[in-house]
Amino acid sequence: MKNTSLRTPAIATLAAAALLAGCATEMSERQKGTATGAAIGAVVGGVLSSATGGKAGTGAVVGGAVGAVAGNLWSKRMEEKRAAMEKATQGTGIGVERTAQNELKVNVPSDFSFDVGRSAIKPEMRPVLDQFAQGLDPNMRVRIVGHTDSTGSDAINNPLSLDRAHSVRDYLAGRGVAPTRVETEGHGSREPVADNGSEAGRAQNRRVEILLREPAPAQS
């Protein structure tokens, strides 16, 4: 006798993989989150239902629905903000991405952020911050992380990186983003993204990261 209870999760896995592969180029970040969550939920639901003696097909459907909700933590507002930031920074070398924690991260290197040893915002950075501050939902939260290159000691770099984060916070406050919504951190030179042995690498490390997130939905 064939074990159909084990076949259903496998079928769900193959179907989900085919769906994601076929639609990957056409799906938004929000849609990808929903599809991924549904696929994982379907597989897990099917396996759990089989293991507990239930109907695997039913378990896969229920699991898929739950997974879709869990996977879709990237709201329409966040997708719109990502698209707006990508458009505003196109061709500048400023990075805009969705993180694994469902935050929108804007990475601003030294060409647009800070000179060596300085925490004053460059004029080139102001339009980027203006776009970031525009139309933020009041529930969204902002985290700003300042970084330095390896020039100088920790005694210099650690407070300098925090001063850079504070400079961005203060600029955003002038554009209507309440400081109470903003967290600031200074990581000094501890998290390089490039080789500090070259000027080009140090310029990439001398940066500020601005992260936007929505609060997790309240548990009922």
Side-chain angles (χ1 to χ4, degrees):
M1 180 181 296
K2 295 181 180 179
N3 190 343
T4 57
S5 65
L6 293 179
R7 285 168 52 198
T8 302
I11 293 171
T13 303
L14 292 173
L19 174 63
L20 290 175
C23 300
T25 59
E26 301 177 3
M27 298 170 76
S28 69
E29 291 289 340
R30 185 167 179 250
Q31 290 168 330
K32 288 177 184 176
T34 302
T36 302
I40 295 172
V43 175
V44 173
V47 170
L48 289 177
S49 185
S50 291
T52 56
K55 294 182 179 180
T58 302
V61 171
V62 173
V66 173
V69 173
N72 189 15
L73 298 177
W74 187 256
S75 75
K76 183 174 182 290
R77 288 189 300 269
M78 290 290 281
E79 174 65 12
E80 289 172 346
K81 175 56 70 175
R82 182 197 63 79
M85 292 306 301
E86 281 192 342
K87 183 177 180 180
T89 60
Q90 188 173 12
T92 64
I94 293 172
V96 178
E97 64 177 296
R98 176 185 179 180
T99 72
Q101 292 73 39
N102 288 304
E103 294 176 305
L104 172 65
K105 181 168 78 171
V106 180
N107 180 49
V108 188
S110 65
D111 289 350
F112 283 81
S113 56
F114 307 101
D115 289 322
V116 177
R118 302 291 300 277
S119 61
I121 291 173
K122 289 183 176 182
E124 295 87 346
M125 189 180 181
R126 292 171 186 167
V128 176
L129 297 181
D130 291 344
Q131 178 62 54
F132 185 87
Q134 183 177 340
L136 286 188
D137 185 280
N139 291 323
M140 291 181 175
R141 295 293 180 266
V142 180
R143 182 163 59 97
I144 304 169
V145 184
H147 300 270
T148 70
D149 59 33
S150 62
T151 305
S153 64
D154 287 345
I156 295 172
N157 289 333
N158 290 340
L160 175 60
S161 63
L162 186 58
D163 287 344
R164 288 174 171 170
H166 288 167
S167 292
V168 175
R169 176 200 61 193
D170 294 344
Y171 185 91
L172 292 176
R175 297 300 182 271
V177 181
T180 54
R181 299 168 56 187
V182 180
E183 304 171 28
T184 54
E185 301 173 13
H187 292 186
S189 61
R190 298 188 298 277
E191 298 177 0
V193 294
D195 182 10
N196 273 304
S198 68
E199 175 52 38
R202 290 192 294 273
Q204 292 182 57
N205 294 332
R206 195 167 59 248
R207 70 197 191 278
V208 64
E209 295 170 337
I210 311 168
L211 299 105
L212 182 68
R213 73 180 187 278
E214 291 184 306
Q219 299 293 327
S220 58

